[in-house]
């Protein structure tokens, strides 16, 4: 059984990395899920699912952010799905309404959070319970800092309104001035009030006991939010470990099929491109008397002076050095990187470095036309965030008889 479920060293490392993340971040991720969902069992399930997704989904692990940010992203998605369903809304509403009249402010605060729409609930818990900064919250939710601040302000205002309804207050109807001062009280507690507005507010509350009480209530709510804590059940870490290990044991067969499919698709694309180029006459290896780009073609003893115009699908910054153009190749593949790509990727163990252009950040490798090497290169490029394409640059000589291919790595 174990031999059938043999796990590659890469999958083993992924599992160990995921479990290490769980050991470091379990408490804060559980706290987030608990105050979003309101129930310990559902929070534990959400945390466990987030770590399984982290292990399983390569795109999640390579999202360009810190792993904990990607874990929070997964948890936000999971908690949102659970809360938007009828069962989630019904549970949150019932729990909140049952607890909202309790005398303890901590319990009232926790119950009131569940009455917020999930979008506001998520951002409030991330900020005021988990203590994340606006930049981190923006990365988790995919919004800019301005939208983060606006959404957080709405969430805090709604929560305070819910709580203050149940706090002792002076009777009487407030006027328009006090309504405006209530808005400034929220801005004061959030730290977004201007100096002029702050001076107006402080002058007003010296004369208005109603607004002074209101500001004290808002401040109490803010202090209470920072005190909200919920430790994960002792068995949760063990459950996460077991879930990730089960996922790893089930992974090899599925991953092998997926990799084989990706390789097959890749080879079909390459083959189709070669067929098109052969039919169009670009692959010079089948035309014994042809030339391309001013360079003699494999099998050719002459040079066609009329065909000197260079046709290239490569970026203008990419040249074809003489050391590269002097050879013929079975194929030509371009690996194009971006700002998010791993700059440490190397191909020295898969092929031979022909030359490199330090200024342009381009390296040229020759690699044997071997399916196993192509597979390794394909996996490594995808894992490092590089895009693959075949090149039809007229300065590269392609021959079906060549035993090696050309890899152009653009960092």
């Amino acid at each position: 059984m174990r031999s059938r479920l043999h796990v590659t060293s890469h999958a083993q490392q992924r599992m160990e990395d995921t479990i290490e993340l769980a050991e470091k971040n379990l408490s804060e991720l559980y706290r987030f899920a608990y105050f979003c969902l309101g129930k310990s069992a559902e929070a534990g399930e959400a945390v466990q699912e987030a770590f399984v997704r982290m292990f399983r989904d390569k795109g999640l692990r390579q999202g360009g952010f810190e792993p904990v940010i990607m874990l929070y992203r997964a948890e936000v998605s999971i908690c949102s799905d659970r809360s938007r369903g009828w069962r989630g809304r019904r549970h949150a509403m019932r729990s909140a309404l049952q607890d909202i009249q309790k005398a303890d402010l901590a319990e009232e605060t926790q119950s009131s959070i569940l009455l917020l729409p999930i979008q506001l609930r998520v951002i409030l818990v991330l900020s005021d319970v988990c203590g994340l900064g606006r930049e981190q919250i923006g990365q988790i939710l995919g919004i800019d800092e301005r939208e983060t601040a606006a959404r957080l302000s709405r969430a805090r205002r709604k929560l305070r309104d819910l709580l203050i309804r149940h706090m002792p207050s002076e009777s009487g109807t407030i006027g328009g001035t006090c309504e405006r001062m209530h808005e400034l009280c929220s801005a004061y507690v959030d730290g977004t009030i201007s100096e002029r507005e702050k001076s107006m507010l402080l002058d007003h509350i010296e004369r208005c006991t109603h607004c002074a009480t209101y500001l004290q209530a808002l401040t109490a709510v803010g202090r209470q939010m920072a005190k909200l804590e919920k430790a994960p059940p002792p068995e949760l870490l063990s459950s996460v470990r077991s879930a990730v290990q089960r996922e790893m044991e089930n992974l090899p067969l599925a991953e092998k099929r997926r990799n084989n499919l990706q390789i097959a698709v890749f080879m079909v694309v390459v083959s189709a491109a070669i067929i098109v180029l052969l039919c169009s006459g670009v692959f010079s290896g089948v035309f014994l008397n042809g030339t391309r780009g001013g360079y003699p073609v494999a099998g050719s003893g002459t040079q066609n002076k009329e065909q000197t115009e260079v046709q290239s699908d490569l970026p203008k910054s990419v040249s074809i050095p003489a050391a590269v153009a002097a050879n013929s190749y079975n194929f030509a593949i371009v690996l194009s990187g971006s700002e998010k790509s791993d700059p440490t990727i190397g191909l020295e163990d898969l092929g031979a470095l022909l030359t490199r252009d330090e200024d342009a950040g381009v390296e040229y490798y020759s690699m044997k036309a071997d399916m196993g090497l192509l597979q390794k290169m394909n996996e490594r490029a995808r894992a490092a965030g590089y895009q693959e394409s075949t090149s039809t640059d007229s300065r590269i000589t392609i021959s079906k008889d060549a035993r090696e291919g050309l890899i152009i790595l653009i960092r």
Side-chain angles (χ1 to χ4, degrees):
M1 182 68 172
R2 296 295 297 176
S3 60
R4 184 175 68 84
L5 296 176
H6 174 68
V7 181
T8 65
S9 58
H10 180 59
Q12 179 73 29
Q13 186 61 50
R14 280 164 47 193
M15 183 196 73
E16 292 174 359
D17 291 345
T18 303
I19 292 176
E20 184 180 356
L21 283 172
E23 292 171 346
K24 292 180 178 179
N25 302 287
L26 188 72
S27 294
E28 56 186 293
L29 289 165
Y30 176 80
R31 184 164 63 249
F32 168 77
Y34 178 79
F35 286 104
C36 279
L37 299 174
K39 196 172 182 180
S40 181
E42 289 196 18
E45 292 171 2
V47 170
Q48 181 172 300
E49 185 177 346
F51 281 105
V52 168
R53 286 190 187 184
M54 190 72 175
F55 169 77
R56 181 196 304 148
D57 190 341
K58 294 180 180 179
L60 188 62
R61 287 180 285 107
Q62 297 160 6
F65 299 108
E66 292 295 322
V68 69
I69 296 295
M70 305 310 294
L71 280 167
Y72 269 117
R73 279 191 170 188
E75 274 220 313
V76 167
S77 174
I78 295 164
C79 292
S80 297
D81 289 344
R82 287 173 177 261
S83 296
R84 287 193 180 104
W86 164 247
R87 186 170 68 90
R89 289 199 306 272
R90 183 176 60 188
H91 166 71
M93 186 66 70
R94 184 172 62 245
S95 298
L97 292 176
Q98 286 174 349
D99 295 341
I100 196 69
Q101 299 294 344
K102 294 184 178 179
D104 184 78
L105 180 58
E107 292 178 337
E108 287 190 13
T109 302
Q110 180 180 336
S111 300
S112 298
I113 290 173
L114 294 174
L115 293 176
L116 297 175
I118 185 59
Q119 186 183 51
L120 299 183
R121 195 187 320 164
V122 161
I123 197 167
L124 183 73
V125 174
L126 286 173
S127 173
D128 293 0
V129 177
C130 299
L132 299 184
R134 292 182 183 178
E135 181 180 359
Q136 291 175 302
I137 294 173
Q139 292 173 350
I140 293 168
L141 301 181
I143 57 179
D144 59 29
E145 291 194 37
R146 184 174 181 179
E147 174 61 23
T148 299
R151 197 180 296 181
L152 182 57
S153 178
R154 290 198 301 271
R156 286 170 172 168
R157 188 163 55 248
K158 282 186 175 292
L159 177 67
R160 291 163 186 159
D161 288 344
L162 284 170
L163 286 168
I164 290 172
R165 291 175 193 171
H166 305 282
M167 291 182 176
S169 61
E170 295 190 3
S171 59
T173 303
I174 64 173
T177 301
C178 287
E179 288 182 355
R180 170 58 179 159
M181 290 301 120
H182 282 191
E183 294 178 1
L184 293 184
C185 284
S186 288
Y188 179 83
V189 174
D190 289 344
T192 59
I193 193 171
S194 68
E195 288 298 323
R196 185 180 66 84
E197 291 173 330
K198 181 178 178 180
S199 178
M200 289 173 51
L201 174 64
L202 295 178
D203 288 342
H204 178 80
I205 63 176
E206 285 182 0
R207 303 186 305 272
C208 179
T209 57
H210 177 88
C211 289
T213 302
Y214 183 83
L215 180 58
Q216 290 175 354
L218 291 191
T219 305
V221 172
R223 288 197 301 264
Q224 187 57 53
M225 287 292 294
K227 295 178 182 178
L228 291 179
E229 290 288 343
K230 186 66 177 179
E235 69 277 6
L236 182 56
L237 180 57
S238 178
S239 298
V240 170
R241 283 198 191 101
S242 299
V244 174
Q245 287 170 350
R246 286 194 302 272
E247 189 68 22
M248 183 187 70
E249 291 178 346
N250 295 329
L251 180 65
L253 183 58
E255 193 167 70
K256 182 178 179 181
R257 289 173 178 170
R258 183 166 61 251
N259 286 342
N260 287 342
L261 177 60
Q262 290 170 339
I263 293 167
V265 171
F266 172 74
M267 294 309 297
V268 167
V269 172
V270 172
S271 300
I274 291 174
I275 291 172
V276 171
L277 294 172
L278 284 171
C279 293
S280 64
V282 176
F283 276 7
S284 58
V286 297
F287 301 100
L288 297 180
N289 294 320
T291 62
R292 295 195 301 110
Y295 297 107
V297 177
S300 168
T302 62
Q303 180 175 340
N304 184 356
K305 295 182 180 180
E306 296 179 358
Q307 189 176 356
T308 58
E309 182 180 353
V310 173
Q311 298 180 357
S312 177
D313 54 354
L314 297 172
K316 293 182 179 179
S317 60
V318 178
S319 61
I320 302 297
V324 175
N327 303 316
S328 58
Y329 305 94
N330 188 273
F331 57 83
I333 296 176
V334 181
L335 304 180
S336 302
S338 65
E339 293 181 357
K340 296 182 178 181
S341 301
D342 184 357
T344 63
I345 184 177
L347 302 177
E348 290 84 355
D349 59 326
L350 302 180
L353 178 64
L354 297 175
T355 185
R356 60 163 51 96
D357 185 340
E358 297 286 356
D359 294 334
V362 183
E363 296 174 0
Y364 305 83
Y365 294 86
S366 64
M367 190 176 78
K368 291 182 179 179
D370 177 81
M371 177 67 75
L373 292 176
L374 278 172
Q375 177 181 352
K376 289 181 180 179
M377 182 202 69
N378 179 260
E379 292 175 349
R380 188 175 302 178
R382 285 188 289 108
Y386 286 77
Q387 296 290 328
E388 288 187 33
S389 63
T390 57
S391 175
T392 60
D393 192 289
S394 62
R395 295 165 294 179
I396 302 172
T397 303
I398 304 296
S399 171
K400 63 180 180 179
D401 297 323
R403 295 185 178 182
E404 294 187 339
L406 175 66
I407 307 298
I408 302 176
L409 178 63
I410 306 174
R411 296 187 181 276

